[in-house]
């Protein structure tokens, strides 16, 4: 189900990885805040259409478009489609990502290459398009991780990729001086998504839930609220920052 009718004054958000998990929560929150939302997905068209259907059922405007974030031609086409359907792009939320957990000594380097293709190259490609296409008053939001500070074992490859994401984000914020575009990263702590829960025992999940002082896992909606703040009018003075949304972890 797709609804592409949008008033000329409506702001437009493009969310990569918008079909499930945190990306879906962000897509739904931004739509509830009045954005027309382009939901990008790499695979799983059914999940993307479910996200669009939920947005439409709530009275919002959304469109699902397939595109590999690490493929510059597909991302250029994604931004083209957003501009064709809605007239431009005001907010880009880059929520697409990949995780591979392993001790550094044991990691299959093919898994490392796949992770870095999505998390580093993908972030760079999306950031390039955002830098070229975002309208004045716009925002780019990328995703890092609290693991950069927590330094959990088995997260070496993932944390390394997210360190690169933070560098790209903070440098781009400085490069866009004078454009009236904010660039920030959100670094979630343990958040109850399929990506996080996959492969963990109930005991591991319980231990991680007790790590923040608030003693619970975050929810996708918790993270979506932080993104909505940065992307909205109340977050315009936040620029070139990493916001650690983690319930009080270091």
């Amino acid at each position: 189900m797709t609804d592409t009718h949008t008033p000329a004054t409506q702001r437009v958000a493009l969310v990569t990885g918008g079909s499930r998990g945190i990306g879906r929560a962000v897509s739904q929150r931004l739509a509830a805040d009045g954005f027309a939302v382009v939901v990008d997905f790499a695979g799983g068209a059914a999940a993307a259409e479910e996200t669009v259907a939920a947005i439409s059922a709530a009275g919002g405007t959304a469109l699902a478009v397939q595109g590999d974030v690490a493929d510059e031609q597909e991302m250029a086409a994604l931004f083209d489609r957003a501009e064709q359907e809605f007239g431009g792009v005001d907010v880009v939320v880059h929520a697409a990502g990949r995780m591979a957990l392993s001790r550094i000594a044991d990691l299959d380097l093919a898994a490392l290459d796949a992770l870095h293709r999505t998390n580093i190259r993908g972030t760079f490609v999306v950031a390039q398009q955002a830098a070229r296409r975002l309208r004045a008053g716009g925002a780019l939001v990328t995703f890092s991780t609290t693991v950069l500070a927590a330094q959990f074992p088995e997260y070496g490859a993932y944390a390394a990729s997210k360190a690169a994401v933070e560098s790209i984000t903070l440098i781009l914020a400085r490069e866009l001086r004078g454009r009236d575009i904010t660039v920030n990263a959100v670094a979630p702590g343990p958040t109850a998504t399929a990506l996080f829960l996959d492969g963990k025992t109930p005991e591991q999940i319980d231990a991680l839930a007790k790590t923040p002082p608030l003693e619970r896992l975050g929810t996708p909606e918790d993270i979506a609220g932080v993104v909505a703040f940065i992307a909205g009018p109340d977050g315009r003075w936040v620029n070139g920052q990493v916001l650690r949304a983690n319930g009080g972890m270091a």
Side-chain angles (χ1 to χ4, degrees), residues 73-230:
Q73 293 181 338
E74 292 188 15
M75 285 300 97
L78 174 69
F79 277 76
D80 286 345
R81 182 74 183 278
E83 291 172 354
Q84 291 162 6
E85 296 288 347
F86 300 124
V89 179
D90 300 288
V91 168
V92 174
V93 180
H94 180 48
R98 183 188 294 265
M99 183 183 292
L101 298 182
S102 170
R103 290 187 176 274
I104 291 169
D106 303 324
L107 181 65
D108 181 342
L109 294 182
L112 177 71
D113 291 342
L115 184 150
H116 282 194
R117 181 180 185 277
T118 297
N119 292 4
I120 298 178
R121 180 184 171 87
T123 298
F124 205 98
V125 169
V126 172
Q128 274 193 332
Q129 289 297 321
R132 296 169 182 172
R133 312 275 197 125
L134 279 169
R135 295 188 283 205
L140 168 63
V141 183
T142 63
F143 273 85
S144 179
T145 174
T146 288
V147 173
L148 284 183
Q151 300 173 351
F152 295 139
E154 300 190 352
Y155 281 81
Y158 181 71
S161 73
K162 293 302 186 176
V165 170
E166 289 196 10
S167 293
I168 293 166
T169 302
L170 301 182
I171 289 171
L172 184 58
R174 277 73 187 175
E175 291 181 346
L176 294 185
R177 173 182 291 274
R179 292 272 305 277
D180 190 23
I181 293 169
T182 64
V183 186
N184 296 286
V186 175
T191 305
T193 65
L195 181 70
F196 169 79
L197 297 172
D198 184 45
K200 293 182 175 68
T201 67
E203 292 76 18
Q204 288 173 319
I205 293 168
D206 185 59
L208 286 165
K210 289 184 169 60
T211 302
L214 294 181
E215 294 192 335
R216 68 172 176 86
L217 295 178
T219 67
E221 290 73 23
D222 288 328
I223 309 305
V226 176
V227 172
F229 165 69
I230 300 171

Side-chain angles (χ1 to χ4, degrees), residues 22-81:
I22 290 173
R24 172 178 284 186
V26 168
S27 296
Q28 292 179 303
R29 173 59 188 269
L30 292 180
D33 287 351
F35 285 86
V37 181
V38 177
V39 178
D40 163 72
F41 65 99
E49 290 298 342
E50 287 173 8
T51 302
V52 170
I55 289 170
S56 297
T61 301
L63 169 70
V65 181
Q66 187 170 16
D68 174 3
V69 294
D71 185 312
E72 63 270 34
Q73 293 181 338
E74 292 188 15
M75 285 300 97
L78 174 69
F79 277 76
D80 286 345
R81 182 74 183 278

